[in-house]
Amino acid sequence: MVSEDAKVYVISVAAELAGMHPQTLRQYDRLGLVSPSRASGRGRRYSLRDIATLREVQRLSQDEGVNLAGIKRILELESELDGLRRQVEYLRAFVAPGRRVFTADRTGAVEAVSRTASRSRRPTTTADRAAVVLWRPSR
């Protein structure tokens, strides 16, 4: 079975599966709505996920009347939401007795650490103090 993210479909096949003209796919690529990979000959390769996105773009445009700039923003927000959901699931995996200490760096990346490691990793500078977040549940 082909992975949902495997970039295997040439533009003509992807356009047919999405119910669009290949030129529409090229335009959406230029606008950044869908970003297919490139084969060695510079030909576009689409995945099943890309085709699902193309169908969603078509639905939003035709059925909901959203313009392409709005669709691009919707897709960006949905992608951000998916990332946040993955981060929440990652953090939930660490919510167990003895593992409820998290740190965050300046980019916002969160990491679970043991209680003993959190004590040994005391911030040394003012900038480091601002970059570490410690959360403890109230009992």
Side-chain angles (χ1 to χ4, degrees), residues 2-105:
V2 176
S3 164
E4 193 174 272
D5 294 316
K7 306 277 188 169
V8 296
Y9 300 101
V10 296
I11 193 167
S12 60
V13 174
E16 185 175 332
L17 290 171
M20 299 177 175
H21 192 277
Q23 192 60 36
T24 304
L25 275 63
R26 290 183 188 94
Q27 179 68 20
Y28 289 171
D29 184 11
R30 281 191 289 277
L31 294 172
L33 294 172
V34 176
S35 299
S37 66
R38 297 290 183 155
S40 58
R42 300 293 299 150
R44 292 171 174 88
R45 294 290 187 268
Y46 293 84
S47 68
L48 287 174
R49 188 180 306 274
D50 294 331
I51 293 167
T53 300
L54 289 167
R55 289 179 181 159
E56 180 65 5
V57 168
Q58 187 174 43
R59 186 192 70 75
L60 288 168
S61 175
Q62 293 178 356
D63 298 347
E64 305 295 331
V66 180
N67 65 25
L68 294 179
I71 292 171
K72 184 174 183 180
R73 185 67 180 136
I74 289 168
L75 294 176
E76 289 168 350
L77 290 170
E78 286 179 347
S79 176
E80 184 178 346
L81 180 60
D82 288 342
L84 291 171
R85 284 182 176 145
R86 283 190 301 276
Q87 188 174 25
V88 166
E89 288 305 312
Y90 169 78
L91 294 174
R92 281 187 178 152
F94 288 100
V95 177
R99 292 194 75 181
R100 292 188 177 163
V101 178
F102 301 94
T103 62
D105 64 18

Side-chain angles (χ1 to χ4, degrees), residues 98-101 112-119:
R99 292 194 75 181
R100 292 188 177 163
V101 178
V113 296
S114 68
R115 290 177 187 266
T116 56
S118 68
R119 289 185 188 108

